[in-house]
Amino acid sequence: MPVHPSDRQRRPPRPGRQALFALVAVTALAAPAWSWAVVTAHPDARQSVALAVGAAGAALCAAVTAAAHQAAAARAAREHGTRVDATAQALEREAEHLVDQLLPALTEGLRAGRTAREVLAEHPQPRHVALHRLTHAVTAELDTARVRAADALARCTALEEQIADLDRVGLPLMVARVREDRVGAAETLREELPPVHGALARLRAHTLEELLAAARRSASAMETAAASGARIQAHLTSLLARLRELQDRYGDNPGVFGDLLDVDHGVSRTGRLADGLVVLAGGRSGRRWTRPIVMESVLRGAMGRINAYRRVRLHNTSTASIAGHAAEGVMQALAELMDNAANFSAHGTEVHVYVQEEDTGLSVTVEDSGLGMRVRERRLAESLVTEPRDLSTLRGTRTGLAVVGRLAHKHALGVSFRPSARGGVGVVVLVPPHLVTESQPAPGGPRAGHRPRRSAGPAPAAGPGPGAGTAAPGPDSPAAPARAASGLPRRRRGQTLAAALREEPDQLSAGPVTPGPGGDPGTRFASFRNARQPQRAEE
């Protein structure tokens, strides 16, 4: 340990010792003088001289001793003051060196990743004992603090990486596993997720519990919605059956028949809404066929499910058919697109539907004359048809495109948006080749249709006029339909009146049909159109 230079200097004798030395010296001088004075004095006066000279010598010794002690004390005090000043100046210089150079150097070294001892070895250390000890104590504490800070930084960095990994990989993986399998998601994730910090592990476990609870609630709500939609479909099925009975019963009364057709059309529109609810709830459509349905019937069935069907213009030159298991899905998707096109365009404009046969399938284009879509709206629409949504993930109250997206995902339909030459939006639906078949002529008519397997839902509409909401014709239908009392041909289920008339070439060539009480064939269509006149005025 360094020692201050002032501590190594030889200190002078203490004041008491110097006073003793002075007393001894004065006594040594005064004793011979006292003896000489006594010897030389008269014998009669020797006693008095001895006392007087002895008292004077003692006083002299005391005075000299006191003077020597005071002088030594004063000198010692001056020397101590000088040493204190020198020590104070040296301490001040070393303190300034410590504050101005050594401590900043330690700080910079620690920031650069060096240890405090390495930095201290490169600089002169204080020579004062207290500052020397202080410097080493600070150095040791800084090294300890540096180690603790590095350890805390490492733990913080590891925790941040775990949090980032949980946000980037963990949470999406948890959501995906919960959606795939709610029951075994916890076991699967326990094997797939890496171990993490205790607090983060508890947070992750709590998040997983909440996701599982939310998935259970969502699944329960979806099942409830699907069941409710199925009940609505079953109710609409019975209602449509009742309406068909009433149409057959009151077909000779144009006014009542038109009102019944109007109600039939309204029920078909309600059925589309119920079908959309069931589709978004993950349920199954209420209509299924075992054999193909001609494209014209699919298009007219879609038209019969929207309110503004009069504004739809079909441009269909295809004779292809859609596979029975996908016909209802294609019909529902086209109905939603036609309804969107009609709702987002002016009431006086038309919606055009084009059907073309391509090498990649059957292309159906729905064009309107609306204002088009902004970039953000188009991105949202594309996301709805490319990323299937359900009731648990759907935002907003507009469900048309979400239904289209679910059906497109189910039947592998391609749906894309493009600007329309008419100024609005064009939606192209590409039906893949494995769903498209060629129509084969039936023994009793130009196209073969088949009876659908009925379940909880109304039958598909064959057109926006009479017969909307009727099923496709069955194989047991007669080749040439019989005529009702009104003179109109009895249509097979799902057959338009024009098709029914085309199936009677012999009767038509023989001459005009005598109308019955209900009037000529146009009378029944007029009944429906007259019943819809108030709504046309509103549109």
Side-chain angles (χ1 to χ4, degrees):
M1 181 181 296
V3 181
H4 197 271
S6 60
D7 296 335
R8 294 192 295 267
Q9 294 179 1
R10 180 176 295 178
R11 294 182 179 181
R14 295 179 180 178
R17 182 174 295 182
Q18 292 185 12
L20 180 60
F21 290 159
L23 177 61
V24 172
V26 172
T27 301
L29 292 176
W34 178 80
S35 299
W36 178 80
V38 171
V39 172
T40 58
H42 190 273
D44 296 334
R46 284 181 179 177
Q47 185 176 3
S48 301
V49 171
L51 293 174
V53 173
L60 178 62
C61 289
V64 172
T65 301
H69 183 275
Q70 291 296 328
R75 185 170 59 254
R78 287 194 302 270
E79 292 176 355
H80 180 70
T82 302
R83 289 195 304 271
V84 169
D85 291 340
T87 303
Q89 292 177 2
L91 183 61
E92 184 178 356
R93 289 193 299 270
E94 291 182 352
E96 291 178 355
H97 172 74
L98 178 64
V99 173
D100 296 338
Q101 298 183 17
L102 188 56
L103 291 181
L106 288 173
T107 303
E108 294 296 332
L110 291 176
R111 290 178 179 175
R114 304 173 61 189
T115 63
R117 297 184 182 277
E118 293 176 355
V119 178
L120 186 62
E122 298 176 356
H123 293 79
Q125 302 181 18
R127 302 181 63 184
H128 194 276
V129 177
L131 291 180
H132 185 80
R133 294 173 58 188
L134 176 63
T135 301
H136 281 272
V138 171
T139 301
E141 190 63 27
L142 287 176
D143 282 338
T144 304
R146 176 179 175 275
V147 173
R148 289 197 301 267
D151 184 59
L153 180 61
R155 291 197 303 269
C156 182
T157 302
L159 185 59
E160 288 179 354
E161 292 177 353
Q162 292 176 0
I163 293 175
D165 183 71
L166 178 63
D167 176 63
R168 184 177 57 256
V169 179
L171 289 179
L173 180 62
M174 291 167 64
V175 173
R177 293 295 178 266
V178 168
R179 288 180 177 176
E180 292 174 1
D181 182 16
R182 296 192 307 274
V183 179
E187 295 295 333
T188 305
L189 290 171
R190 188 176 294 110
E191 298 176 357
E192 294 180 347
L193 293 176
V196 293
H197 189 268
L200 189 59
R202 291 190 295 272
L203 174 62
R204 190 173 66 185
H206 181 68
T207 303
L208 178 58
E209 293 177 359
E210 291 297 327
L211 287 175
L212 289 173
R216 288 190 292 269
R217 291 192 298 269
S218 175
S220 177
M222 294 274 286
E223 292 174 0
T224 302
S228 300
R231 287 194 293 270
I232 295 174
Q233 288 177 327
H235 177 70
L236 292 176
T237 299
S238 60
L239 185 60
L240 281 174
R242 179 59 178 166
L243 284 173
R244 294 188 198 105
E245 294 177 0
L246 295 177
Q247 289 172 15
D248 293 338
R249 181 181 305 173
Y250 299 103
D252 297 335
N253 189 330
V256 175
F257 186 73
D259 293 338
L260 291 176
L261 291 179
D262 187 18
V263 175
D264 188 297
H265 183 226
V267 173
S268 298
R269 288 158 47 200
T270 306
R272 178 176 63 85
L273 299 178
D275 292 343
L277 175 64
V278 172
V279 168
L280 293 178
R284 190 172 58 178
S285 174
R287 310 173 185 88
R288 293 180 301 278
W289 288 270
T290 58
R291 297 185 183 180
I293 306 298
V294 293
M295 192 62 199
E296 181 181 358
S297 296
V298 172
L299 293 173
R300 295 194 176 276
M303 289 174 57
R305 302 182 185 186
I306 69 173
N307 186 41
Y309 66 89
R310 289 188 181 88
R311 294 166 51 196
V312 179
R313 298 294 178 265
L314 298 180
H315 307 275
N316 177 30
T317 59
S318 174
T319 59
S321 299
I322 304 298
H325 67 88
E328 171 59 25
V330 175
M331 189 183 304
Q332 177 73 6
L334 292 178
E336 297 292 347
L337 294 176
M338 291 180 188
D339 188 63
N340 274 359
N343 290 336
F344 291 96
S345 59
H347 293 307
T349 59
E350 296 178 345
V351 175
H352 293 266
V353 180
Y354 301 89
V355 182
Q356 294 179 345
E357 295 183 8
E358 308 286 352
D359 294 337
T360 55
L362 196 63
S363 173
V364 183
T365 303
V366 181
E367 288 189 348
D368 61 62
S369 304
L371 299 178
M373 292 190 294
R374 294 188 292 267
V375 176
R376 181 176 62 84
E377 295 173 342
R378 181 169 179 174
R379 290 177 180 174
L380 177 59
E382 291 175 347
S383 68
L384 287 174
V385 298
T386 56
E387 302 173 3
R389 312 284 179 89
D390 54 27
L391 291 179
S392 62
T393 58
L394 183 62
R395 296 180 181 179
T397 57
R398 295 178 180 175
T399 60
L401 290 180
V403 173
V404 174
R406 295 279 295 185
L407 295 172
H409 178 72
K410 178 180 179 181
H411 300 292
L413 305 177
V415 182
S416 59
F417 295 84
R418 61 174 177 80
S420 171
R422 302 177 184 277
V425 177
V427 185
V428 181
V429 179
L430 182 63
V431 183
H434 68 274
L435 299 181
V436 181
T437 60
E438 290 295 332
S439 299
Q440 300 295 332
R447 292 184 179 90
H450 303 278
R451 187 187 308 275
R453 292 180 299 167
R454 300 307 303 266
S455 63
T470 56
D476 54 351
S477 300
R483 288 184 171 270
S486 62
L488 291 175
R490 289 191 180 277
R491 297 173 288 106
R492 293 196 302 271
R493 295 170 65 86
Q495 188 182 30
T496 62
L497 180 60
L501 293 174
R502 287 198 300 269
E503 291 182 358
E504 297 184 314
D506 298 336
Q507 297 183 25
L508 293 179
S509 61
V513 179
T514 303
D520 59 3
T523 304
R524 305 188 74 174
F525 281 110
S527 301
F528 181 73
R529 295 176 60 86
N530 293 335
R532 297 289 294 174
Q533 287 302 324
Q535 292 192 14
R536 172 182 286 182
E538 294 177 0
E539 294 176 359

